[in-house]
Amino acid sequence: MTGEPALSAQPFRRWVPLLVVGAVLAAGGAATRPFSWSATVLVVVPVVVVSVLALRARPERIPRTARLRRGVAVWSTLLVAASVWEVYAFARQSDWTRPSELHPTLSTLLDPALEQWPLRFAGWLVWLGAGWWLVSR
């Protein structure tokens, strides 16, 4: 046992506030009615805060390669296409607080799978985790 390195509690302590905030946001988001203004605020606030933090960070320089350029082009195209679809579908809805079957957004398509509270909570955790993963790279 003396040869095994001791685990430091420091890295875990750094993540605890972030995990608590994520769990509170996920619980709050799961408790809101889908497509309500409170749910919208719980989506917009973390996106704005994390986006500002990500834009202020100084990323390290990555060597530009052909593979990187292709990857950026593919992912940028997919992101732009998905964003255009979301904005178009959301803008075409007759009532922004109710889902539209004629112009479904991604949220509308996922809503039947996320009807129960535990699944909604898990969905919020996945969304927050994926967002954090994207901006922390």
Side-chain angles (χ1 to χ4, degrees):
M1 284 268 236
T2 58
E4 294 178 20
L7 288 176
S8 171
Q10 289 297 349
F12 298 113
R13 286 189 187 142
R14 227 180 61 207
W15 290 96
V16 169
L18 186 63
L19 294 173
V20 169
V21 169
V24 168
L25 278 173
T32 60
R33 189 176 59 82
F35 307 103
S36 65
W37 288 107
S38 56
T40 302
V41 168
L42 281 172
V43 169
V44 170
V45 169
V47 166
V48 169
V49 169
V50 172
S51 296
V52 167
L53 291 174
L55 290 173
R56 291 182 60 196
R58 300 271 184 214
E60 62 185 60
R61 299 284 284 171
I62 300 172
R64 296 179 183 186
T65 63
R67 181 178 179 200
L68 177 65
R69 282 192 296 277
R70 284 192 305 271
V72 168
V74 168
W75 283 107
S76 297
T77 302
L78 290 172
L79 182 63
V80 167
S83 298
V84 167
W85 172 37
E86 281 287 308
V87 169
Y88 175 78
F90 186 72
R92 298 288 296 169
Q93 292 179 355
S94 58
D95 182 3
W96 288 359
T97 60
R98 293 179 43 208
S100 170
E101 291 182 14
L102 294 175
H103 304 287
T105 61
L106 184 59
S107 300
T108 305
L109 296 173
L110 288 175
D111 197 45
L114 302 174
E115 285 181 333
Q116 282 90 23
W117 191 88
L119 295 175
R120 288 187 67 77
F121 179 72
W124 274 83
L125 284 177
V126 167
W127 178 75
L128 289 168
W132 182 255
W133 180 80
L134 284 171
V135 299
S136 66
R137 297 288 154 223

